[in-house]
């Protein structure tokens, strides 16, 4: 059964064990106003707490992912005002979502839209997808992680090209550079992302959470600390029922049934 949560700028549908969150401001190409980010934060916090949901797809729908932060909202702000309202600091919780978050990107994912996609764990791109950071054309730089997440994924030189020219990458080039997982015909983007979400949702949830955390730590920590942290999580998982179930199911040649305990 599909359960919808009520929001103004996004649509949230829970079809357990997955949920799909769709940005819904088509007139401004899903521009990410503070209200949209507030709703996204709220929805993801609820989905994180909802035990029946094990993976989430984030999309902008069939035509556009998001053309960036809302320029109309920012154009006349001052620096102190931006600092005080901490515009993009309020986006940070999106990257703290503990369950797998899969971006399904069709059309433009620009500026903050691209940065939100980069906060996700996997990116499925339609062949119409365009990923870029055009902030330079507005006299600013990316403010929601673009200058940091691009180089950690594609290296310095491509990141510089993206930041300094403001030109967007095609889906195919993004795929060749390893910044998207798959490129598919646009009509397949959301179904494939949902299929992958369901595939992940069948796995033991505590191990999935630890795997996500461990990979993200590779972007934050020196190797020795990352390895030590990985080992602790590995040992920790032997305290879960799902580890016992997973290993005994293997030995008994049957499919494991995981409870997230
Ligand atoms: N903010 C507010 N409104 C936006 C928007 C944005 N980021 N992007 C598009 N829109 C609005 C347009 O103003 C237009 O509104 P009207 O119909 O009322 O004129 C509507 O969406 C449709 O856009 P276009 O007519 O421009 O559509 P297009 O197909 O000709 O061009 C586009 C598409 C190339 C994406 C173009 O809209 C564009 O360049 N958008 C801005 C992209 C951008 O600069 N993003 C970065 C924003 S800054 C940022 O994100 C900072 C950060 O790091 C957090």
């Amino acid at each position: 059964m599909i359960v919808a949560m009520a929001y103004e700028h996004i649509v949230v549908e829970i079809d357990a064990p997955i949920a799909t969150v769709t940005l819904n401001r088509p007139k401004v190409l899903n521009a990410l106003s503070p209200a949209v980010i507030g709703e996204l934060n709220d929805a993801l916090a609820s989905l994180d707490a909802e035990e029946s949901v094990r993976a989430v797809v984030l999309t902008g729908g069939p035509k556009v992912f998001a053309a960036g932060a809302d320029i109309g909202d920012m154009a006349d702000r001052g620096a102190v005002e931006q600092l005080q309202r901490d515009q993009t600091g309020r986006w940070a919780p999106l990257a703290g979502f503990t369950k797998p978050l899969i971006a399904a990107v069709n059309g433009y994912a620009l500026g903050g839209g691209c940065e939100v996609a980069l906060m996700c764990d996997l990116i499925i791109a339609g062949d119409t997808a365009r990923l870029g950071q055009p902030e330079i054309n507005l006299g600013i730089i990316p403010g929601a992680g673009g200058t940091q997440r691009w180089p950690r994924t594609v290296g310095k030189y491509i990141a510089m090209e993206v930041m300094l020219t403001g030109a967007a990458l095609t889906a195919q080039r993004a795929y060749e550079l390893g910044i998207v997982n798959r490129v598919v015909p646009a009509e397949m983007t959301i179904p494939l992302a949902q299929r992958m979400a369901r595939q992940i949702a069948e796995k033991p949830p505590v191990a999935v959470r630890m795997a996500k955390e461990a990979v993200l730590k590779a972007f934050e920590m020196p190797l020795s600390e990352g390895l030590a942290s990985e080992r602790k999580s590995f040992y920790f998982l032997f305290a879960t029922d799902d580890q016992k179930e997973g290993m005994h199911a293997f030995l008994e040649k049957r499919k494991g049934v995981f409870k997230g305990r």
Side-chain angles (χ1 to χ4, degrees), residues 16 26 30 33 39 46 54 56 70 73 90 92-93 100 103 119 144-145 166-167 174 176 179 184 205 209 213 251 259:
N30 292 336
S33 63
E39 289 191 358
S46 301
R54 293 187 175 180
V56 174
D70 192 324
D73 169 73
R90 295 184 189 281
M119 289 181 205
E176 285 156 12
I179 201 157
V184 292
R209 179 177 174 151
E213 242 177 66
L251 293 172
K259 299 203 170 84

Side-chain angles (χ1 to χ4, degrees), residues 93-243:
L94 304 177
F97 188 60
T98 68
K99 297 174 183 175
L101 188 57
I102 305 181
V105 178
N106 287 317
Y108 294 114
L110 300 180
C114 186
E115 291 170 297
V116 167
L118 297 191
M119 289 181 205
C120 296
D121 304 309
L122 286 83
I123 304 179
I124 308 302
D127 49 11
T128 57
R130 296 289 178 275
L131 281 78
Q133 302 290 160
E135 286 90 341
I136 200 76
N137 300 323
L138 301 170
I140 56 170
I141 65 170
T147 65
Q148 303 306 298
R149 290 196 174 96
W150 274 91
R152 280 168 165 80
T153 307
V154 298
K156 169 183 163 184
Y157 299 98
I158 299 293
M160 285 291 187
E161 182 184 328
V162 168
M163 304 303 141
L164 301 181
T165 70
L169 303 184
T170 61
Q172 186 56 33
R173 179 120 196 267
Y175 174 72
E176 285 156 12
L177 291 166
I179 201 157
V180 305
N181 294 75
R182 305 278 171 88
V183 182
V184 292
E187 66 276 12
M188 292 306 300
T189 317
I190 298 170
L192 177 61
Q194 289 173 328
R195 181 143 54 88
M196 291 179 85
R198 285 191 188 280
Q199 187 187 358
I200 294 168
E202 283 180 9
K203 311 291 176 198
V206 184
V208 165
R209 179 177 174 151
M210 297 274 140
K212 169 169 172 165
E213 242 177 66
V215 172
L216 289 177
K217 279 189 177 152
F219 292 91
E220 311 267 352
M221 288 183 162
L223 181 61
S224 56
E225 282 178 40
L227 292 173
S229 169
E230 179 197 75
R231 271 196 297 275
K232 278 188 194 146
S233 298
F234 176 75
Y235 298 143
F236 170 88
L237 286 164
F238 285 78
T240 64
D241 295 345
D242 284 349
Q243 172 269 327

